[in-house]
Amino acid sequence: MAAVEIDIAGDMQIPQQDKKSDSGLEFLQIPQLPLSNLGYPQAHEWIEHRKANIRPWSLFLNTSNMKASPSLPRLTKRIMKNIDYFQSNYVFVFIGVVLYCLITSPLLLLAIAASLGTCYKVSQRHATQELMIFKHKLTLAQIYILVLICSLPIFCLVGAGTALFWVLGLSTSLITLHAAFYNIDSVLCPGEDELNALVMEEV
């Protein structure tokens, strides 16, 4: 009888030890980082979704599919189809333009790194002690907005406005040109162009 009591007691205490180890691992989890407080998991899922839906770059850059649209109504339909079909590719084109802008603008890159570093330091302090202004407790989102406002003069000095317009202008031009000249019908509906050409010849 004594041996049975010892075995039952030992089996019942094992799950409690596992729970303690799990709580110890939770202390080291990534959600304590400021990026997770900014919604990093959602951003990571969004990027993974875009990567899963990206079209082959060989198809995206296939110059043999480049063709001028015969009419304005078909041009607008082509642009809408291309944006819908190559949406993820266009997103990565925009990201590539942004990265190129940052690499070629070291002062802007340093300013962004300093701003992100300040947000990280402030979030660490906020985890241990809440920050207050005029006896008003600030949330972490309010602190990030305050850091962004304080960083605006620095961004203006390093030419962030010019870089922003350059990125928007270049990425919009590249995406619009590709969407306007890429014959998406040859991919989605192969043979339709030949059929339309025969119809036009008969008419």
Side-chain angles (χ1 to χ4, degrees), residues 2 16 25 73 89 96 105 117 131 133 136 186 196 198-199:
Q16 295 178 357
L25 291 175
N89 297 76
S105 303
L131 299 179
I133 295 181
H136 176 71
S186 63
N196 292 332
L198 291 174
V199 171

Side-chain angles (χ1 to χ4, degrees), residues 35-198:
L35 290 177
S36 63
N37 295 328
L38 283 172
Y40 175 75
Q42 289 80 1
H44 181 71
E45 292 176 3
W46 182 81
I47 292 175
E48 291 298 326
H49 176 70
R50 289 300 173 195
K51 288 173 65 177
N53 293 332
I54 197 169
R55 307 298 179 180
W57 288 104
S58 58
L59 177 65
F60 180 77
L61 300 174
N62 189 3
T63 56
S64 62
N65 290 332
M66 295 295 178
K67 183 180 178 182
S69 179
S71 63
L72 185 61
R74 293 187 63 181
L75 176 62
T76 57
K77 291 181 180 179
R78 173 187 289 184
I79 292 175
M80 297 304 296
K81 285 183 180 180
N82 279 322
I83 291 176
D84 183 59
Y85 189 76
F86 291 113
Q87 186 176 12
S88 296
N89 297 76
Y90 291 144
V91 169
F92 281 97
V93 167
F94 175 77
I95 293 174
V97 173
V98 171
L99 292 177
Y100 177 79
C101 177
L102 292 177
I103 292 173
T104 55
S105 303
L107 292 178
L108 179 60
L109 185 61
L110 288 175
I112 293 175
S115 180
L116 293 177
T118 303
C119 290
Y120 177 71
K121 292 295 184 181
V122 171
S123 64
Q124 282 187 328
R125 182 177 178 182
H126 181 76
T128 57
Q129 181 182 1
E130 293 183 348
L131 299 179
M132 300 181 63
I133 295 181
F134 300 111
K135 298 182 179 180
H136 176 71
K137 292 182 180 180
L138 298 177
T139 63
L140 196 57
Q142 291 173 340
I143 294 173
Y144 289 147
I145 293 173
L146 185 61
V147 172
L148 178 62
I149 293 174
C150 295
S151 302
L152 286 178
I154 299 175
F155 289 150
C156 292
L157 289 176
V158 298
T162 304
L164 179 61
F165 284 110
W166 184 84
V167 167
L168 292 177
L170 180 60
S171 59
T172 302
S173 300
L174 291 176
I175 293 171
T176 303
L177 285 174
H178 184 274
F181 286 97
Y182 193 91
N183 186 16
I184 190 63
D185 292 331
S186 63
V187 177
L188 299 179
C189 304
E192 185 176 348
D193 290 339
E194 290 79 2
L195 181 61
N196 292 332
L198 291 174

